[in-house]
Amino acid sequence: KIGLVGFGSLGQFLYERVQAEGKKYDIEVGWVWNRTTEKLESYGVPSSHILHSLGDAASREVDVIVEVAHPRIIIDNYELFLSAASLFVGSPTAMAEGDMVTQVLDAAKKYGRAVFIPSGALWGADDILKMAERGTITEASITMKKHPSHLKVEPELDVKMPKGEEGEKVLYSGSVRGLCPLAPQNVNTMAALAIATAVGENGLGFDGVSAKLVADPAIDCHEITVDVYGKPAADGRRMHVRSVRSNPAQPGAVTGQATYVSFFSSLVRARPVDSGLRFV
């Protein structure tokens, strides 16, 4: 049973899929919260499913609280959520705030809950997490290339967009932490990589993972390249894994065609077995 926090386009999609296919996957909606209850009522959500205040989350028993609202919701309410249920973090850029990764995982351990991060476009997330837990990652980087119309960024980056006949332009190059507040709608995959590498001894995290955001007028997809390097051997050579993911996207689409379906697939896999960080 899930509690759904947020009823934008993604929240509505998840709600509809659970209502239509929940029995097949043994999932049901316990409650739904949105900043304005009028939106839920006008959509036809039964009054028995509507949670009027997040403060009441602990009083309506569910197994997993699914956040698909806004990073601020996680930052302000993670302790409340984890005291009541395991937590599915749909806005992983929230973890870029201060020492949120440690704080959230400490709370998960305290209450014996799982924290689920949707792997989304981050292929090999489980393998990266396992390497981080063993302390064997020495370097990681991620490059995201999109058409300018696919990017929703703050003015600081928007002024760098290619104009006229200009080709691709690098809008940002630096740490994942520095990019998250500048393009919060575009960098969930980057945040997921930072979270995966944050655990273990000498974890890289949001400050240690390098990020590059590129606007390319010639591209018709969302392209994500991830590079992960292991510790060097005695002869100086080291393991290197590169993944490249190309997801077709319609003009103006911040989210690629496969993302909503991927989110639902992640939700189906979010089964709280034990506490700790899990990619789904």
Side-chain angles (χ1 to χ4, degrees):
K1 184 180 285 189
I2 66 167
L4 187 60
V5 178
F7 207 67
S9 58
L10 177 55
Q12 291 172 24
F13 174 84
L14 294 177
Y15 180 80
E16 290 174 1
R17 288 295 291 267
V18 171
Q19 293 297 92
E21 301 183 57
K23 287 185 179 179
K24 176 180 178 181
Y25 298 107
D26 192 26
I27 305 174
E28 63 177 307
V29 174
W31 51 259
V32 184
W33 176 90
N34 191 63
R35 186 172 54 85
T36 56
T37 56
E38 292 79 11
K39 186 173 185 178
L40 301 176
E41 293 165 348
S42 64
Y43 198 83
V45 176
S47 59
S48 59
H49 280 173
I50 296 176
L51 185 75
H52 292 275
S53 169
L54 282 180
D56 296 330
S59 67
R60 301 273 296 270
E61 187 175 344
V62 294
D63 301 298
V64 181
I65 293 176
V66 181
E67 177 278 319
V68 286
H70 188 275
R72 194 76 237 171
I73 296 294
I74 291 292
I75 295 167
D76 293 342
N77 298 283
Y78 71 89
E79 180 107 20
L80 168 66
F81 292 157
L82 286 168
S83 71
S86 290
L87 178 59
F88 183 104
V89 182
S91 302
T93 55
M95 306 290 247
E97 180 88 1
D99 197 23
M100 278 291 293
V101 174
T102 299
Q103 293 173 21
V104 169
L105 294 182
D106 283 351
K109 184 177 180 180
K110 173 182 175 182
Y111 296 107
R113 310 291 190 185
V115 175
F116 299 108
I117 307 292
S119 55
L122 182 62
W123 280 64
D126 283 331
D127 297 295
I128 294 169
L129 177 60
K130 285 188 285 187
M131 285 185 67
E133 290 173 338
R134 295 196 306 271
T136 57
I137 295 179
T138 59
E139 183 182 344
S141 64
I142 180 167
T143 298
M144 183 177 291
K145 184 183 291 190
K146 296 186 176 185
H147 189 277
S149 69
H150 297 163
L151 293 166
K152 306 299 181 189
V153 298
E154 294 298 307
E156 181 178 335
L157 299 186
D158 195 52
V159 297
K160 300 178 181 179
M161 287 285 190
K163 299 173 180 62
E165 299 299 315
E166 289 183 326
E168 69 173 54
K169 292 188 71 174
V170 176
L171 305 184
Y172 177 90
S173 182
S175 71
V176 174
R177 190 186 301 279
L179 180 56
C180 283
L182 298 176
Q185 296 185 58
N186 290 108
V187 296
N188 280 342
T189 303
M190 294 184 171
L193 177 60
I195 294 166
T197 63
V199 302
E201 188 177 352
N202 302 317
L204 298 177
F206 282 89
D207 294 313
V209 175
S210 300
K212 186 179 290 186
L213 184 63
V214 180
D216 184 356
I219 202 169
D220 62 356
C221 62
H222 298 170
E223 185 178 285
I224 297 171
T225 303
V226 176
D227 288 284
V228 176
Y229 295 87
K231 288 184 175 180
D235 61 4
R237 294 183 300 165
R238 57 179 179 166
M239 186 194 77
H240 171 213
V241 177
R242 167 172 286 188
S243 67
V244 180
R245 181 183 187 269
S246 231
N247 181 17
Q250 296 299 320
V254 175
T255 301
Q257 296 169 358
T259 301
Y260 282 10
V261 175
S262 174
F263 244 93
F264 182 70
S265 297
S266 294
L267 179 57
V268 168
R269 295 183 62 215
R271 306 288 172 163
V273 177
D274 51 14
S275 64
L277 181 63
R278 300 286 180 270
F279 278 87
V280 290

